[in-house]
Amino acid sequence: MSAVEFALIAFVLACGVATAMLRDVLAAIIAFAAYSLGIAVIWILLRAPDVGLTEAAVGAGVTTVLFLLTIAKTVRPAGERTLERIDLPALGVAVVLVGILATTLGALPPVGGAETPVITSEVTQYYLDNAYTETEVKNAVTAVLAGYRGFDTLGEAVVVYAAGVGILVVLQREVFA
Amino acid sequence: MDVLATRYYYLVTFVVLGLGAYMMIANRNIVKKIIGMNVFQTGIFLFFIAAAYLDGANPPVLTAEPPYVSPLPHVLILTAIVVGVSLTAVALGLVVRIYAEYGTLDAELIREVRHDE
């Protein structure tokens, strides 16, 4: 683990814990935005610039705006304490969940190894070998997103549309104002 | 320790999943439950992106030199991020409506009010 990775992971986990523990919802939203930004930089380190850009724009940007709009329309409970009390039963459930998941750690392939199933998969190789000749797009992620998995992306657009209609129905409005 | 030294991203994934689950269970404020759901999602994203990683590789942009990391998990996660935002938007719409009906965002109070009705 390099120093940059260590610092980023520590930052992200600290922001995550702050998000969980801050009692003020506005403070939690700000901590979550910082968390998203940290995660976006981790995507860059893991050589996923497209995901990093989307996370920074959508995770840290649009999601934060949605949360802020919500607390503007509802309440921001005034608390006498800065931090939440730790909920022991919930902490127990979370620790058990992490413990059970951690038992699978030894069975997972090492991150970054040349022999991992994803890297050696023929699907990965096919996309990397043929993306440019078949779609004439140099960015393999774009080629797969809009070309090979175009129907998947169409389905995603349908989900976004359905979400828009769903919000209008829930709020009993006819237009976004 | 050797297992941990090469797989620490997966461990971070598990911790983030635990953190998200804790937020969804422990926080009484429903807005914070939704933030917890978003934290949980990013744990899943980290799992996929870490699985696609190859040491010393370039991003899957074909103008760079090979080797490349795998593009497919990146595409799946791009879709998942957008779907996640749609989910958050609908959930927050429901929160605004719940507040209009019950006048509170506290899950326990909402349960009590529903019980009394």
Coordinates of all heavy atoms in Angstrom, one line a residue, chain A residues 1 5 9 16 19-20 22 25 32 35 43 46-48 54 58 67 70 74-75 77 84 86-87 90-91 94 98 101 105 108-112 118-119 124 138 140-141 145 156 160 163 167 170-172, chain B residues 6-10 12 14 16-19 22-23 25-27 29 32 35 38 42 45-46 50-55 57 59-63 69-70 74-75 78-79 82 85-86 89 92-93 97 99 105:
Chain A
M1 N 0.8 -1.2 0.0 CA 0.0 0.0 0.0 C 0.9 1.2 0.0 O 1.7 1.4 0.9 CB -0.9 0.0 1.3 CG -2.0 1.0 1.2 SD -3.0 1.2 2.7 CE -3.5 -0.4 3.1
E5 N -2.3 5.9 -1.2 CA -3.4 5.0 -1.1 C -3.9 5.0 0.4 O -5.0 5.1 0.7 CB -3.0 3.6 -1.5 CG -3.3 3.3 -2.9 CD -2.9 1.9 -3.2 OE1 -1.8 1.4 -2.7 OE2 -3.6 1.2 -3.9
I9 N -7.5 6.1 1.7 CA -8.4 5.1 2.4 C -8.7 5.6 3.8 O -9.9 5.5 4.2 CB -7.7 3.7 2.4 CG1 -7.7 3.2 1.0 CG2 -8.5 2.8 3.3 CD1 -7.0 1.9 0.8
G16 N -16.5 8.5 6.2 CA -17.7 7.5 6.4 C -18.1 7.5 7.8 O -19.3 7.5 8.1
T19 N -19.9 10.6 8.7 CA -21.3 10.6 8.2 C -22.2 9.8 9.1 O -23.3 10.2 9.3 CB -21.3 10.0 6.8 OG1 -20.2 10.5 6.0 CG2 -22.6 10.2 6.1
A20 N -21.7 8.7 9.6 CA -22.6 7.8 10.4 C -22.8 8.5 11.8 O -23.9 8.3 12.3 CB -22.0 6.5 10.6
L22 N -22.3 11.9 12.9 CA -22.7 13.3 13.1 C -24.3 13.3 13.2 O -25.0 12.7 12.4 CB -22.3 14.1 12.0 CG -20.8 14.5 12.0 CD1 -20.4 15.1 10.7 CD2 -20.5 15.4 13.2
V25 N -28.0 16.6 10.4 CA -28.1 16.0 9.0 C -27.3 16.8 8.0 O -26.7 16.2 7.1 CB -29.6 15.9 8.6 CG1 -29.7 15.3 7.2 CG2 -30.4 15.1 9.6
F32 N -20.7 13.3 3.8 CA -20.9 12.3 2.8 C -20.3 12.8 1.4 O -19.8 12.0 0.6 CB -22.3 11.9 2.7 CG -22.6 10.9 1.5 CD1 -22.2 9.6 1.7 CD2 -23.3 11.3 0.4 CE1 -22.4 8.7 0.6 CE2 -23.5 10.4 -0.6 CZ -23.1 9.1 -0.5
Y35 N -16.7 12.2 1.5 CA -16.5 10.8 1.3 C -16.6 10.4 -0.1 O -15.7 9.8 -0.7 CB -17.6 10.1 2.1 CG -17.7 8.6 1.9 CD1 -17.0 7.7 2.6 CD2 -18.6 8.1 0.9 CE1 -17.1 6.3 2.4 CE2 -18.7 6.8 0.6 CZ -18.0 5.9 1.4 OH -18.1 4.5 1.1
W43 N -11.0 5.9 -7.3 CA -11.3 5.4 -8.7 C -10.1 5.8 -9.6 O -9.7 5.0 -10.5 CB -12.6 5.9 -9.3 CG -13.8 5.6 -8.5 CD1 -15.0 6.3 -8.6 CD2 -14.1 4.5 -7.6 NE1 -16.0 5.7 -7.8 CE2 -15.5 4.6 -7.2 CE3 -13.4 3.4 -7.2 CZ2 -16.1 3.7 -6.4 CZ3 -14.0 2.5 -6.3 CH2 -15.3 2.6 -5.9
L46 N -7.2 3.6 -9.1 CA -7.5 2.2 -9.6 C -7.7 2.2 -11.1 O -8.2 1.3 -11.6 CB -8.7 1.6 -8.9 CG -8.5 1.3 -7.4 CD1 -9.8 0.7 -6.8 CD2 -7.4 0.2 -7.2
R47 N -7.2 3.3 -11.8 CA -7.3 3.4 -13.2 C -8.7 3.3 -13.8 O -8.9 2.7 -14.8 CB -6.4 2.3 -13.9 CG -5.0 2.3 -13.4 CD -4.2 3.5 -13.8 NE -2.8 3.4 -13.5 CZ -2.3 3.7 -12.3 NH1 -3.1 4.2 -11.3 NH2 -1.0 3.6 -12.0
A48 N -9.6 3.9 -13.1 CA -11.0 4.0 -13.6 C -11.4 5.4 -13.7 O -12.3 5.9 -13.0 CB -12.0 3.2 -12.7
T54 N -17.7 10.3 -13.1 CA -19.1 10.2 -12.8 C -19.4 10.3 -11.4 O -20.3 10.9 -10.9 CB -19.6 8.8 -13.4 OG1 -19.1 8.7 -14.7 CG2 -21.1 8.7 -13.3
V58 N -21.7 13.0 -10.1 CA -23.0 12.5 -9.7 C -23.1 12.2 -8.2 O -24.0 12.7 -7.4 CB -23.4 11.2 -10.5 CG1 -24.6 10.6 -9.9 CG2 -23.6 11.6 -11.9
F67 N -29.9 15.8 -1.6 CA -30.1 15.8 -0.1 C -30.3 17.2 0.5 O -31.2 17.3 1.3 CB -28.8 15.2 0.5 CG -28.8 13.7 0.5 CD1 -27.8 13.0 -0.2 CD2 -29.7 12.9 1.2 CE1 -27.8 11.6 -0.2 CE2 -29.7 11.6 1.2 CZ -28.7 10.9 0.5
T70 N -33.8 18.2 -0.1 CA -34.7 17.5 0.8 C -34.7 18.2 2.2 O -35.8 18.4 2.7 CB -34.3 16.1 0.9 OG1 -34.2 15.5 -0.3 CG2 -35.3 15.3 1.8
T74 N -37.8 19.9 4.3 CA -38.3 19.3 5.5 C -37.7 20.0 6.7 O -37.7 21.2 6.8 CB -38.0 17.8 5.5 OG1 -36.6 17.6 5.3 CG2 -38.7 17.1 4.3
V75 N -37.2 19.2 7.6 CA -36.5 19.8 8.8 C -35.1 19.3 9.0 O -34.7 18.3 8.4 CB -37.3 19.4 10.1 CG1 -38.5 20.2 10.3 CG2 -37.6 17.9 10.1
P77 N -33.3 18.5 12.2 CA -33.5 18.4 13.6 C -32.4 19.0 14.4 O -31.2 18.7 14.2 CB -33.6 16.9 13.9 CG -33.1 16.2 12.7 CD -33.2 17.1 11.5
E84 N -24.1 11.2 17.4 CA -25.2 10.3 17.8 C -24.6 9.4 18.9 O -23.4 9.1 19.0 CB -25.5 9.4 16.6 CG -25.9 10.1 15.4 CD -27.4 10.0 15.2 OE1 -28.1 9.6 16.1 OE2 -27.9 10.4 14.1
I86 N -23.9 5.6 20.2 CA -23.7 4.4 19.4 C -24.8 3.4 19.8 O -25.1 3.2 20.9 CB -22.3 3.8 19.8 CG1 -21.3 4.7 19.2 CG2 -22.2 2.4 19.2 CD1 -19.9 4.3 19.5
D87 N -25.5 2.9 18.7 CA -26.5 1.9 18.9 C -25.9 0.5 18.9 O -25.5 0.0 17.9 CB -27.5 2.1 17.7 CG -28.7 1.2 17.8 OD1 -28.6 0.1 18.4 OD2 -29.8 1.6 17.3
A90 N -27.3 -2.4 16.6 CA -27.0 -2.1 15.2 C -25.5 -2.4 14.9 O -25.1 -2.9 13.9 CB -27.4 -0.7 14.8
L91 N -24.7 -1.9 15.9 CA -23.2 -2.1 15.8 C -22.9 -3.6 15.7 O -22.1 -4.1 14.9 CB -22.5 -1.5 17.0 CG -21.0 -1.4 16.9 CD1 -20.6 -0.6 15.7 CD2 -20.4 -0.9 18.1
A94 N -23.7 -4.9 12.3 CA -22.7 -4.5 11.3 C -21.4 -5.3 11.5 O -20.8 -5.7 10.5 CB -22.5 -3.0 11.5
V98 N -19.6 -7.6 8.8 CA -18.2 -7.5 8.3 C -17.4 -8.7 8.6 O -16.6 -9.2 7.8 CB -17.5 -6.3 9.0 CG1 -16.1 -6.2 8.7 CG2 -18.2 -5.0 8.6
L101 N -18.3 -11.4 6.0 CA -17.7 -11.1 4.7 C -16.2 -11.3 4.8 O -15.6 -11.8 3.8 CB -18.1 -9.7 4.4 CG -19.5 -9.4 4.0 CD1 -19.8 -7.9 3.8 CD2 -19.9 -10.1 2.7
L105 N -12.2 -13.4 2.6 CA -11.1 -12.6 2.1 C -10.0 -13.5 1.5 O -9.5 -13.2 0.4 CB -10.5 -11.8 3.2 CG -9.7 -10.5 2.9 CD1 -10.6 -9.6 2.1 CD2 -9.2 -9.9 4.1
L108 N -10.7 -14.7 -2.1 CA -10.8 -13.7 -3.2 C -9.4 -13.6 -3.9 O -8.4 -13.8 -3.2 CB -11.2 -12.3 -2.7 CG -12.6 -12.2 -2.2 CD1 -12.9 -11.0 -1.4 CD2 -13.5 -12.2 -3.5
P109 N -9.4 -13.3 -5.2 CA -8.1 -13.1 -5.9 C -7.4 -11.8 -5.4 O -8.1 -10.9 -5.0 CB -8.4 -13.0 -7.3 CG -9.8 -12.6 -7.4 CD -10.5 -13.1 -6.1
P110 N -6.0 -11.8 -5.4 CA -5.4 -10.6 -4.9 C -5.7 -9.4 -5.9 O -5.8 -9.6 -7.1 CB -3.9 -10.9 -5.0 CG -3.8 -12.2 -5.8 CD -5.1 -12.9 -5.7
V111 N -5.9 -8.2 -5.3 CA -6.2 -7.0 -6.1 C -4.9 -6.7 -6.9 O -3.9 -6.5 -6.4 CB -6.6 -5.8 -5.2 CG1 -6.8 -4.6 -6.1 CG2 -7.8 -6.2 -4.4
G112 N -5.1 -6.5 -8.3 CA -4.0 -6.1 -9.1 C -3.2 -7.2 -9.7 O -2.3 -7.0 -10.5
V118 N -11.1 -11.6 -13.6 CA -11.6 -10.5 -14.4 C -10.5 -10.2 -15.5 O -10.9 -10.0 -16.7 CB -11.8 -9.2 -13.6 CG1 -12.3 -8.1 -14.5 CG2 -12.9 -9.5 -12.6
I119 N -9.2 -10.1 -15.2 CA -8.2 -9.7 -16.1 C -8.0 -10.8 -17.2 O -7.8 -10.6 -18.3 CB -6.9 -9.4 -15.4 CG1 -7.1 -8.2 -14.5 CG2 -5.7 -9.2 -16.3 CD1 -7.4 -6.9 -15.2
T124 N -13.0 -9.6 -21.3 CA -12.1 -8.5 -21.2 C -11.2 -8.4 -22.4 O -11.0 -7.3 -23.0 CB -11.3 -8.6 -19.9 OG1 -12.1 -8.5 -18.8 CG2 -10.2 -7.5 -19.8
K138 N -11.9 5.0 -29.2 CA -10.7 4.7 -28.5 C -10.8 4.4 -27.0 O -10.0 3.7 -26.4 CB -9.6 5.8 -28.7 CG -9.1 5.9 -30.1 CD -7.8 5.2 -30.2 CE -7.2 5.4 -31.6 NZ -5.9 4.8 -31.8
A140 N -12.3 2.3 -24.4 CA -13.0 1.0 -24.4 C -14.2 1.1 -23.5 O -15.2 0.4 -23.7 CB -12.0 -0.1 -23.9
V141 N -14.2 1.9 -22.4 CA -15.4 2.0 -21.5 C -16.6 2.5 -22.3 O -17.7 2.0 -22.2 CB -15.0 2.8 -20.3 CG1 -16.3 3.0 -19.4 CG2 -14.0 2.2 -19.5
L145 N -20.0 0.7 -23.1 CA -21.2 1.3 -22.5 C -22.3 1.6 -23.6 O -23.4 1.3 -23.5 CB -20.8 2.6 -21.8 CG -22.0 3.3 -21.0 CD1 -22.2 2.6 -19.7 CD2 -21.6 4.7 -20.7
E156 N -30.9 1.7 -18.5 CA -30.6 2.7 -17.5 C -31.4 4.0 -17.7 O -31.9 4.6 -16.8 CB -29.1 2.9 -17.6 CG -28.5 4.1 -16.7 CD -27.1 4.4 -17.1 OE1 -26.4 3.5 -17.6 OE2 -26.7 5.5 -17.0
V160 N -34.0 6.0 -15.2 CA -33.9 7.4 -14.9 C -35.3 8.1 -15.2 O -35.8 8.8 -14.4 CB -32.8 8.1 -15.6 CG1 -32.8 9.6 -15.4 CG2 -31.5 7.6 -15.2
A163 N -37.8 7.0 -12.6 CA -37.5 7.7 -11.4 C -38.1 9.1 -11.4 O -38.8 9.5 -10.5 CB -36.0 7.8 -11.1
I167 N -41.1 10.4 -9.0 CA -41.0 11.5 -8.1 C -42.2 12.4 -8.3 O -42.8 12.9 -7.3 CB -39.7 12.3 -8.3 CG1 -38.5 11.5 -7.9 CG2 -39.7 13.7 -7.6 CD1 -37.2 12.1 -8.3
V170 N -45.2 10.7 -6.6 CA -45.1 10.8 -5.1 C -45.4 12.2 -4.6 O -46.1 12.3 -3.6 CB -43.7 10.3 -4.7 CG1 -43.4 10.7 -3.3 CG2 -43.5 8.8 -4.9
L171 N -44.9 13.2 -5.3 CA -45.1 14.6 -4.8 C -46.4 15.2 -5.3 O -46.7 16.4 -5.1 CB -43.9 15.4 -5.2 CG -42.5 15.0 -4.6 CD1 -41.4 16.0 -5.1 CD2 -42.6 15.0 -3.1
Q172 N -47.1 14.4 -6.1 CA -48.4 14.9 -6.7 C -48.3 16.2 -7.4 O -49.1 17.1 -7.3 CB -49.5 15.0 -5.5 CG -49.8 13.7 -4.9 CD -50.7 13.8 -3.7 OE1 -50.5 14.7 -2.9 NE2 -51.6 12.9 -3.5
Chain B
T6 N -2.4 -7.9 0.1 CA -2.8 -7.9 -1.4 C -4.2 -7.6 -1.5 O -4.7 -7.4 -2.6 CB -2.4 -9.2 -2.1 OG1 -2.9 -10.3 -1.3 CG2 -0.9 -9.3 -2.2
R7 N -5.0 -7.7 -0.4 CA -6.5 -7.7 -0.6 C -7.1 -6.6 0.3 O -8.3 -6.7 0.6 CB -7.1 -9.0 -0.2 CG -6.7 -10.1 -1.2 CD -7.1 -11.5 -0.6 NE -6.8 -12.6 -1.5 CZ -5.6 -13.2 -1.6 NH1 -4.6 -12.7 -0.9 NH2 -5.4 -14.1 -2.4
Y8 N -6.3 -5.5 0.6 CA -6.9 -4.6 1.6 C -8.1 -3.8 1.0 O -8.9 -3.4 1.7 CB -5.8 -3.6 2.1 CG -5.0 -3.0 1.0 CD1 -5.3 -1.8 0.5 CD2 -3.8 -3.6 0.6 CE1 -4.6 -1.2 -0.5 CE2 -3.0 -3.0 -0.3 CZ -3.4 -1.8 -0.9 OH -2.6 -1.2 -1.9
Y9 N -8.1 -3.7 -0.4 CA -9.3 -3.0 -0.9 C -10.6 -3.7 -0.6 O -11.6 -3.1 -0.4 CB -9.1 -2.8 -2.4 CG -8.4 -1.6 -2.8 CD1 -7.1 -1.6 -3.4 CD2 -8.9 -0.3 -2.5 CE1 -6.4 -0.5 -3.7 CE2 -8.2 0.8 -2.9 CZ -7.0 0.7 -3.5 OH -6.3 1.9 -3.8
Y10 N -10.5 -5.1 -0.7 CA -11.7 -5.9 -0.3 C -12.1 -5.7 1.1 O -13.3 -5.6 1.5 CB -11.5 -7.3 -0.6 CG -11.3 -7.7 -2.1 CD1 -10.4 -8.5 -2.6 CD2 -12.2 -7.1 -3.0 CE1 -10.2 -8.8 -3.9 CE2 -12.1 -7.3 -4.4 CZ -11.1 -8.2 -4.8 OH -11.0 -8.5 -6.2
V12 N -11.6 -2.9 2.9 CA -12.2 -1.6 2.9 C -13.6 -1.7 2.4 O -14.6 -1.2 3.0 CB -11.4 -0.6 2.1 CG1 -12.1 0.7 2.0 CG2 -10.0 -0.4 2.6
F14 N -15.6 -4.3 2.7 CA -16.4 -4.9 3.8 C -16.7 -3.9 4.9 O -17.8 -3.9 5.4 CB -15.7 -6.2 4.3 CG -15.4 -7.3 3.3 CD1 -14.4 -8.2 3.5 CD2 -16.2 -7.4 2.2 CE1 -14.2 -9.1 2.5 CE2 -16.0 -8.3 1.2 CZ -15.0 -9.2 1.4
V16 N -16.9 -0.7 4.6 CA -17.8 0.3 4.1 C -19.3 -0.3 4.1 O -20.2 0.3 4.5 CB -17.4 0.8 2.7 CG1 -18.5 1.6 2.1 CG2 -16.2 1.7 2.8
L17 N -19.4 -1.6 3.7 CA -20.7 -2.3 3.7 C -21.2 -2.3 5.1 O -22.4 -2.0 5.4 CB -20.6 -3.7 3.2 CG -20.3 -3.8 1.7 CD1 -20.2 -5.3 1.3 CD2 -21.3 -3.1 0.8
G18 N -20.3 -2.6 6.1 CA -20.8 -2.7 7.5 C -21.2 -1.3 8.0 O -22.2 -1.2 8.7
L19 N -20.5 -0.3 7.6 CA -20.8 1.1 7.9 C -22.2 1.5 7.4 O -23.0 2.1 8.1 CB -19.7 2.0 7.4 CG -19.6 3.5 8.0 CD1 -19.3 3.4 9.4 CD2 -18.6 4.2 7.2
Y22 N -24.8 -0.3 9.3 CA -25.0 0.3 10.6 C -25.9 1.6 10.5 O -26.8 1.8 11.3 CB -23.7 0.6 11.2 CG -23.8 1.4 12.5 CD1 -24.0 0.8 13.7 CD2 -23.7 2.8 12.5 CE1 -24.1 1.5 14.9 CE2 -23.8 3.5 13.6 CZ -24.0 2.9 14.8 OH -24.2 3.6 16.0
M23 N -25.6 2.4 9.4 CA -26.3 3.7 9.3 C -27.8 3.4 9.0 O -28.7 4.1 9.6 CB -25.8 4.5 8.2 CG -24.5 5.2 8.5 SD -24.0 6.3 7.2 CE -25.1 7.7 7.5
I25 N -29.6 0.9 10.0 CA -30.3 0.3 11.1 C -30.3 1.3 12.3 O -31.3 1.5 12.9 CB -29.6 -1.0 11.6 CG1 -29.5 -2.0 10.5 CG2 -30.3 -1.6 12.8 CD1 -28.6 -3.2 10.8
A26 N -29.2 2.0 12.6 CA -29.0 2.7 13.8 C -29.7 4.1 13.8 O -30.2 4.6 14.7 CB -27.6 2.8 14.2
N27 N -29.5 4.8 12.6 CA -30.0 6.2 12.6 C -31.5 6.2 12.5 O -32.1 5.6 11.7 CB -29.4 6.9 11.4 CG -27.9 7.2 11.6 OD1 -27.6 7.8 12.7 ND2 -27.0 6.9 10.7
N29 N -33.2 9.0 11.9 CA -33.6 10.0 10.9 C -33.6 9.3 9.5 O -32.6 8.7 9.1 CB -32.6 11.1 10.9 CG -33.0 12.3 10.0 OD1 -33.2 12.0 8.8 ND2 -33.1 13.5 10.5
K32 N -30.9 10.1 7.0 CA -29.6 9.5 7.2 C -29.6 8.0 6.9 O -28.6 7.5 6.5 CB -29.2 9.7 8.7 CG -28.8 11.2 9.0 CD -28.0 11.3 10.2 CE -26.6 10.7 10.1 NZ -25.9 10.8 11.3
I35 N -28.7 8.2 3.3 CA -27.2 8.4 3.1 C -26.5 7.0 3.4 O -25.6 6.7 2.6 CB -26.7 9.4 4.1 CG1 -27.4 10.8 3.8 CG2 -25.2 9.6 4.0 CD1 -26.9 11.9 4.8
N38 N -26.6 4.9 0.4 CA -25.6 5.4 -0.6 C -24.2 4.9 -0.2 O -23.4 4.5 -1.1 CB -25.6 6.9 -0.7 CG -26.6 7.4 -1.7 OD1 -26.4 7.4 -2.8 ND2 -27.8 7.8 -1.1
T42 N -21.5 2.4 -2.4 CA -20.1 2.7 -2.8 C -19.2 1.5 -2.4 O -18.2 1.3 -3.1 CB -19.6 4.0 -2.2 OG1 -19.8 3.9 -0.8 CG2 -20.3 5.2 -2.7
F45 N -19.4 -0.7 -5.3 CA -18.7 -0.2 -6.4 C -17.2 -0.5 -6.2 O -16.5 -0.9 -7.1 CB -18.8 1.3 -6.5 CG -20.3 1.8 -6.7 CD1 -20.6 3.1 -6.5 CD2 -21.2 0.9 -7.1 CE1 -21.9 3.5 -6.7 CE2 -22.5 1.3 -7.3 CZ -22.9 2.6 -7.1
L46 N -16.7 -0.3 -5.0 CA -15.3 -0.5 -4.7 C -14.9 -1.9 -5.0 O -13.8 -2.2 -5.5 CB -14.9 -0.1 -3.2 CG -13.5 -0.2 -2.8 CD1 -12.7 0.8 -3.7 CD2 -13.3 0.2 -1.4
A50 N -12.1 -2.6 -7.7 CA -10.8 -3.3 -7.3 C -10.6 -4.6 -8.0 O -9.5 -5.0 -8.4 CB -10.9 -3.5 -5.8
A51 N -11.7 -5.3 -8.4 CA -11.6 -6.6 -9.1 C -11.1 -6.3 -10.5 O -10.4 -7.2 -11.1 CB -12.9 -7.3 -9.1
A52 N -11.3 -5.2 -11.1 CA -10.9 -4.9 -12.5 C -9.5 -4.4 -12.5 O -8.9 -4.3 -13.6 CB -11.8 -3.8 -13.1
Y53 N -8.9 -4.1 -11.4 CA -7.5 -3.5 -11.3 C -6.4 -4.5 -11.7 O -6.5 -5.7 -11.4 CB -7.3 -2.9 -10.0 CG -6.0 -2.1 -9.9 CD1 -5.8 -1.0 -10.6 CD2 -5.0 -2.5 -9.0 CE1 -4.6 -0.3 -10.5 CE2 -3.8 -1.8 -8.9 CZ -3.6 -0.7 -9.7 OH -2.4 0.0 -9.6
L54 N -5.4 -4.0 -12.4 CA -4.2 -4.7 -12.7 C -3.0 -3.8 -12.4 O -3.0 -2.7 -12.9 CB -4.2 -5.1 -14.2 CG -3.0 -5.8 -14.8 CD1 -2.7 -7.2 -14.1 CD2 -3.1 -6.1 -16.3
D55 N -2.1 -4.4 -11.6 CA -0.9 -3.6 -11.2 C -0.2 -3.1 -12.4 O 0.1 -3.8 -13.4 CB 0.0 -4.4 -10.4 CG -0.4 -4.4 -8.9 OD1 -0.9 -3.3 -8.5 OD2 -0.2 -5.4 -8.2
A57 N -1.1 -1.3 -14.9 CA -1.8 -1.2 -16.2 C -2.3 0.3 -16.4 O -2.3 1.1 -15.4 CB -3.0 -2.1 -16.2
P59 N -5.4 3.0 -17.8 CA -6.9 3.0 -18.0 C -7.2 2.4 -19.3 O -6.4 2.5 -20.3 CB -7.2 4.5 -17.9 CG -6.1 5.1 -17.2 CD -4.9 4.3 -17.6
P60 N -8.5 1.8 -19.5 CA -8.8 1.2 -20.7 C -9.1 2.2 -21.8 O -10.2 2.2 -22.4 CB -10.0 0.3 -20.4 CG -10.6 1.0 -19.2 CD -9.5 1.7 -18.5
V61 N -8.2 3.1 -22.1 CA -8.3 4.0 -23.2 C -7.2 3.7 -24.2 O -6.0 3.6 -23.8 CB -8.1 5.5 -22.7 CG1 -8.2 6.5 -23.9 CG2 -9.1 5.8 -21.7
L62 N -7.6 3.3 -25.4 CA -6.7 2.6 -26.3 C -5.6 3.4 -26.9 O -4.7 2.9 -27.6 CB -7.5 1.9 -27.4 CG -8.5 0.9 -26.8 CD1 -9.3 0.3 -28.0 CD2 -7.9 -0.2 -26.0
T63 N -5.6 4.8 -26.6 CA -4.4 5.6 -27.0 C -3.2 5.3 -26.1 O -2.1 5.7 -26.5 CB -4.8 7.1 -27.0 OG1 -5.4 7.3 -25.7 CG2 -5.8 7.4 -28.1
V69 N -6.5 -2.1 -17.6 CA -7.4 -2.7 -16.7 C -8.7 -3.1 -17.5 O -8.9 -2.6 -18.6 CB -7.7 -1.8 -15.5 CG1 -6.4 -1.4 -14.8 CG2 -8.4 -0.5 -16.0
S70 N -9.5 -3.9 -16.8 CA -10.7 -4.4 -17.6 C -11.7 -3.3 -17.6 O -12.1 -2.7 -16.6 CB -11.2 -5.6 -16.8 OG -12.4 -6.1 -17.5
H74 N -16.0 -1.4 -15.0 CA -16.2 0.1 -15.0 C -17.6 0.4 -15.6 O -18.3 1.3 -15.1 CB -15.1 0.7 -15.8 CG -13.7 0.6 -15.3 ND1 -12.6 1.2 -15.8 CD2 -13.3 -0.2 -14.2 CE1 -11.6 0.9 -15.1 NE2 -11.9 0.0 -14.1
V75 N -17.9 -0.2 -16.7 CA -19.2 0.0 -17.4 C -20.4 -0.3 -16.5 O -21.3 0.5 -16.3 CB -19.3 -0.7 -18.7 CG1 -20.7 -0.6 -19.3 CG2 -18.2 -0.3 -19.7
L78 N -20.6 2.3 -13.8 CA -21.2 3.6 -14.3 C -22.7 3.5 -14.3 O -23.4 4.4 -13.9 CB -20.7 3.9 -15.7 CG -19.3 4.4 -15.8 CD1 -18.9 4.5 -17.3 CD2 -19.2 5.8 -15.2
T79 N -23.2 2.4 -14.8 CA -24.7 2.2 -14.9 C -25.2 2.2 -13.4 O -26.2 2.8 -13.1 CB -25.0 0.9 -15.6 OG1 -24.3 0.8 -16.8 CG2 -26.5 0.7 -15.8
V82 N -25.6 5.7 -11.8 CA -26.8 6.4 -12.3 C -28.0 5.9 -11.7 O -28.9 6.6 -11.3 CB -26.8 6.5 -13.8 CG1 -28.0 7.2 -14.3 CG2 -25.5 7.2 -14.3
V85 N -28.4 7.0 -8.2 CA -28.9 8.3 -8.0 C -30.4 8.4 -8.2 O -31.1 9.1 -7.5 CB -28.2 9.3 -9.0 CG1 -28.8 10.7 -8.9 CG2 -26.7 9.4 -8.6
S86 N -30.9 7.6 -9.2 CA -32.4 7.6 -9.4 C -33.1 7.1 -8.2 O -34.1 7.6 -7.8 CB -32.7 6.7 -10.6 OG -32.0 7.0 -11.7
A89 N -33.1 9.7 -5.6 CA -34.0 10.7 -5.9 C -35.5 10.3 -5.5 O -36.2 11.1 -4.8 CB -33.9 11.1 -7.3
L92 N -35.8 10.2 -1.7 CA -35.9 11.5 -1.1 C -37.3 12.1 -1.4 O -37.8 12.9 -0.6 CB -34.8 12.4 -1.6 CG -33.4 12.0 -1.0 CD1 -32.3 12.8 -1.6 CD2 -33.4 12.1 0.5
G93 N -37.9 11.8 -2.6 CA -39.2 12.3 -2.9 C -40.2 11.7 -1.9 O -41.1 12.4 -1.3
R97 N -42.6 13.6 1.0 CA -44.0 13.3 1.2 C -44.4 12.8 2.6 O -45.4 13.2 3.2 CB -44.4 12.2 0.1 CG -45.8 11.9 0.0 CD -46.6 13.0 -0.6 NE -48.0 12.9 -0.3 CZ -48.9 12.0 -0.9 NH1 -48.4 11.3 -1.9 NH2 -50.1 12.0 -0.6
Y99 N -42.8 13.6 5.3 CA -42.7 14.7 6.1 C -44.0 15.5 6.0 O -44.5 16.0 7.0 CB -41.5 15.6 5.8 CG -41.4 16.8 6.8 CD1 -41.0 16.6 8.1 CD2 -41.7 18.1 6.3 CE1 -40.9 17.6 9.0 CE2 -41.6 19.1 7.2 CZ -41.2 18.9 8.5 OH -41.1 19.9 9.4
L105 N -39.3 13.3 10.6 CA -38.5 12.4 9.8 C -37.9 11.3 10.7 O -37.1 10.5 10.3 CB -37.3 13.2 9.2 CG -37.7 14.2 8.1 CD1 -36.4 14.9 7.6 CD2 -38.4 13.5 7.0

